[in-house]
Amino acid sequence: MTPHKDAFPDPRPPAPPLPQPSVLSEALQVCHPHAAGIDIGAAEHWVAVPPGCDPQPVRRFGTFTADLDALADWLIDCGVTTVAMESTGVYWLPLFELLEARGVQVLLIDPRQAKRAPGRPKTDRLDCKWLQRLHAYGLLAGAFRPEDQVCVLRSYLRHRQMLLTSAAHHIQHMQKALQQMNLKLTQVVSDITGVTGMAIIKAIVAGERNPQRLAQLRNPHCHHDTDDIAKALQGNWRAEHLFALRQAVELYEVYHQQIAQCDQQIKQHLETFADKSAGQPLPPKARRHKKTNEPRFDARAPHYRLAGVDLTTIEGIEENTALIILSEIGTDMTRWPSVKHFCSWLGLCPQHQISGGKVLSRRVRPGAHRVTVALRLAARSLHHSQSAFGAFFRRMKARLGTPKAITATAHKLARLVYGLLKHGTAYVQQGIEAYETHYRERTVKAMVRQAKTLGYALVPLAVQG
């Protein structure tokens, strides 16, 4: 039988007692004397103001609109100028927007900043008091949130991504129904939602069962011939699977109709931004393959007016990627003191963990930031690019492996995006020959320095005639 836990003495010394509030108040200086803290909930909000502002400094409010108006009025009557609240789901959004409209500075903080201190009871009433106290001492940092006009664009693009995800689910439903009928369409076409795939699937839904007639619907550019496609379309035509296929096709088309409407809304909202291009013409577009899920309008001109620079001239960044970047970070790069702060915020720079002078880990911070994901996808697409970025990606991949090469290339793209948006300069593409020449010069200089350190001289070989 395992002995009881109390049978073994605790080798650790007892923890020192926590300092009293009076000691903390004497040691820390109050930076925000008119600060408040709000604990956000789905059904109620707990609000704490400085003790001297009201006989009842902690109050509970509901989440209806009238309750939020009463909460804002009470904060203004108490002389509160800044508020700290945790980002709890999406419940903070209505109150955040209301307080900002009333002229109150609102800090949206990560819940990890206000972790539960050892020995502190955990209740909603005490949480808001703890937030108010930390904010008054200046110990909280607000999360990044772009201006309201950019937030609207961000909401549209996030909704569009949700529609694309839902449409992709029904592609899987179509593949499942075809597989259950033993129709191997996925083996003879690269994409069942392409021209050939959708023409054959719609004909099947309409009632066509002859494999030869279905194969005649192939696009001339399809790699497989008519006989291969007809052979793949021999299967059983069970009614339940045909019903599932029909509904999957209809839902797929419905979602793409919604995406088209969402694209029109995005296009109209992009026209409301101020023109930062200063009348400069749009740079010529490089020849690139049109992606399936890109916006169904020319997004280069609107995003060029919005940013003043054309991000699509950067290798790997398409129109949709450029819109995602601008909708998530905006165009005000002064929110980050330097490019290093920007890359650290994206989680694309290593986090050095050093103990005793020894580096324990250099892993990047895990996360799924939308800009980071977009830059990683852009970096991954540069594998076969005959450009400086493509050569850099392949060199990093050969030395470090694909995952680290993607991170390094995405970090390089992030630095370039920051520079273009901050300084408003146009991007000048560097060819692969110039990159290889520059890399060779750097390598030779490093070898010369290393040889000199070891007491040798690096001498080039004589050119043989």
Side-chain angles (χ1 to χ4, degrees):
M1 180 180 295
T2 304
H4 194 268
K5 179 180 177 181
D6 296 338
F8 296 94
D10 192 353
R12 297 173 298 178
L18 294 176
Q20 299 299 320
S22 60
V23 178
L24 289 177
S25 62
E26 293 175 1
L28 297 176
Q29 299 294 328
V30 176
C31 301
H32 305 291
H34 303 289
I38 303 178
D39 183 75
I40 301 295
E44 60 184 16
H45 301 326
W46 284 87
V47 188
V49 298
C53 297
D54 191 86
Q56 186 181 355
V58 178
R59 293 189 181 184
R60 181 181 64 86
F61 292 88
T63 56
F64 296 129
T65 303
D67 299 324
L68 299 185
D69 290 331
L71 189 157
D73 294 338
W74 181 60
L75 291 178
I76 294 176
D77 293 339
C78 294
V80 171
T81 58
T82 177
V83 172
M85 64 173 66
E86 293 182 353
S87 55
T88 306
V90 295
Y91 304 123
W92 56 272
L93 275 169
L95 182 58
F96 185 97
E97 295 171 353
L98 175 62
L99 293 178
E100 272 200 336
R102 295 288 189 94
V104 180
Q105 181 188 9
V106 186
L107 266 70
L108 185 67
I109 67 168
D110 191 332
R112 290 175 294 184
Q113 295 189 50
K115 282 185 177 180
R116 175 187 173 191
R120 185 176 70 87
K122 185 72 173 63
T123 63
D124 293 341
R125 174 185 288 272
L126 295 179
D127 279 348
C128 66
K129 294 176 64 177
W130 181 249
L131 290 175
Q132 187 275 330
R133 189 177 177 190
L134 292 177
H135 187 29
Y137 291 142
L139 300 177
L140 299 177
F144 170 77
R145 180 176 169 85
E147 59 183 5
D148 186 67
Q149 195 175 16
V150 178
C151 287
V152 175
L153 177 62
R154 182 177 66 177
S155 298
Y156 285 141
L157 286 171
R158 288 183 178 182
H159 179 69
R160 185 181 188 275
Q161 183 61 41
M162 183 269 295
L163 293 176
L164 286 173
T165 303
S166 300
H169 292 162
H170 296 294
I171 297 177
Q172 296 174 338
H173 298 161
M174 286 188 280
Q175 293 173 341
K176 179 181 178 181
L178 292 172
Q179 184 63 38
Q180 288 175 324
M181 291 184 291
N182 202 34
L183 302 178
K184 302 297 184 178
L185 184 62
T186 56
Q187 297 185 12
V188 293
V189 297
S190 58
D191 182 12
I192 65 171
T193 60
V195 177
T196 300
M198 289 305 295
I200 293 175
I201 290 176
K202 289 183 178 180
I204 293 175
V205 171
E208 182 63 56
R209 301 290 181 268
N210 190 330
Q212 295 295 333
R213 294 179 182 176
L214 292 174
Q216 294 296 329
L217 299 175
R218 65 180 289 273
N219 187 273
H221 299 286
C222 186
H223 292 172
H224 290 267
D225 56 15
T226 306
D227 295 336
D228 291 341
I229 297 178
K231 184 178 179 181
L233 294 177
Q234 295 177 1
N236 58 81
W237 308 96
R238 294 179 65 91
E240 66 272 20
H241 303 323
L242 289 170
F243 177 76
L245 178 64
R246 181 183 300 107
Q247 288 209 329
V249 172
E250 292 175 355
L251 289 172
Y252 175 79
E253 292 180 340
V254 166
Y255 275 108
H256 273 274
Q257 293 174 3
Q258 300 297 319
I259 292 172
Q261 297 179 11
C262 187
D263 287 341
Q264 292 300 318
Q265 196 72 21
I266 294 173
K267 181 180 178 181
Q268 295 177 7
H269 183 68
L270 285 172
E271 296 174 354
T272 63
F273 285 88
D275 189 0
K276 295 184 179 180
S277 61
Q280 298 295 327
L282 186 65
K285 181 180 179 181
R287 286 189 174 183
R288 294 179 182 174
H289 179 66
K290 185 71 174 179
K291 301 298 178 62
T292 305
N293 294 327
E294 284 190 357
R296 304 183 185 183
F297 63 94
D298 186 11
R300 290 185 70 236
H303 106 258
Y304 179 66
R305 292 177 61 255
L306 166 62
V309 292
D310 185 12
L311 297 180
T312 60
T313 56
I314 304 174
E315 294 89 341
I317 297 183
E318 305 291 343
E319 297 178 2
N320 190 34
T321 306
L323 284 179
I324 292 175
I325 293 173
L326 294 176
S327 67
E328 295 291 336
I329 65 176
T331 57
D332 184 12
M333 294 293 105
T334 60
R335 304 288 293 274
W336 296 275
S338 67
V339 64
K340 293 183 178 180
H341 290 80
F342 178 67
C343 295
S344 175
W345 177 72
L346 291 176
L348 289 174
C349 60
Q351 286 185 317
H352 294 279
Q353 298 181 10
I354 303 176
S355 177
K358 181 181 179 181
V359 178
L360 303 178
S361 174
R362 286 195 177 100
R363 294 180 180 273
V364 296
R365 185 180 71 248
H369 196 285
R370 285 177 171 83
V371 178
T372 306
V373 173
L375 291 176
R376 287 181 180 275
L377 291 175
R380 184 64 183 87
S381 67
L382 296 172
H383 184 271
H384 299 288
S385 175
Q386 296 300 314
S387 61
F389 277 106
F392 175 80
F393 176 83
R394 289 187 290 272
R395 182 167 65 88
M396 291 292 104
K397 178 182 177 181
R399 195 180 76 181
L400 304 174
T402 302
K404 292 184 179 180
I406 292 176
T407 301
T409 310
H411 178 243
K412 204 175 185 66
L413 290 173
R415 296 178 69 91
L416 183 57
V417 168
Y418 179 88
L420 294 184
L421 293 177
K422 184 173 184 178
H423 304 292
T425 56
Y427 171 63
V428 179
Q429 295 185 1
Q430 183 184 13
I432 188 172
E433 295 83 5
Y435 172 80
E436 295 293 350
T437 302
H438 180 64
Y439 175 67
R440 184 179 183 277
E441 293 175 354
R442 286 171 45 195
T443 305
V444 171
K445 288 181 181 179
M447 294 176 67
V448 169
R449 289 194 304 266
Q450 186 177 9
K452 185 177 180 181
T453 303
L454 298 175
Y456 295 93
L458 194 66
V459 179
L461 293 174
V463 179
Q464 298 180 356

